[in-house]
Amino acid sequence: MAVLEFKVDTRFLKNIVGKKGETLKKLNEEYDQVYIKIPTVESNSDIVVLRGPKEDIEKLKTYIVQTLEAAKHHEVWFSLINLFIYLFQFEFIIN
């Protein structure tokens, strides 16, 4: 049995949990031998804890990290689109 703890950006925890906890439920089913502890908003923690067979926790960590990176990428892209729209509207108002 292995334990792995790693920091996450708490803004993106919802991407791991999913709507109504559906994503987390699926992860618990797929990795049924792994204990997954996701910090709550109230805990003010940014540490995810995985405990179980080493191979499974490594796979699960890879999935979580990829999910968080995709969420960060999406946030940046969305911010750029909003900036473009704002600048376009500003240019339209000036002219």
Side-chain angles (χ1 to χ4, degrees):
M1 172 118 22
V3 176
L4 180 63
E5 297 181 357
F6 57 99
K7 284 185 160 198
V8 297
D9 188 334
T10 55
R11 295 176 297 162
F12 302 109
L13 287 175
K14 63 185 176 191
N15 297 90
I16 300 170
V17 176
K19 283 187 178 180
K20 298 183 181 180
E22 288 300 317
T23 304
L24 188 56
K25 286 178 191 173
K26 288 179 184 177
L27 292 174
N28 280 318
E29 290 172 4
E30 186 174 341
Y31 298 95
D32 62 339
Q33 294 187 18
V34 177
Y35 167 76
I36 306 169
K37 182 179 179 195
I38 305 293
T40 62
V41 174
E42 298 83 23
S43 71
N44 292 324
S45 176
D46 59 355
I47 304 294
V48 170
V49 178
L50 305 176
R51 186 177 314 133
K54 185 176 181 175
E55 184 177 311
D56 287 349
I57 63 173
E58 287 296 332
K59 287 179 187 176
L60 186 52
K61 181 187 178 191
T62 299
Y63 171 81
I64 290 172
V65 168
Q66 288 174 347
T67 299
L68 296 175
E69 289 300 319
K72 287 178 189 177
H73 178 75
H74 181 265
E75 181 184 64
V76 169
W77 183 246
F78 188 73
S79 296
L80 289 173
I81 290 172
N82 282 338
L83 178 61
F84 176 75
I85 291 170
Y86 172 78
L87 292 174
F88 181 76
Q89 289 173 344
F90 184 73
E91 179 68 26
F92 183 73
I93 292 170
I94 291 177
N95 292 325

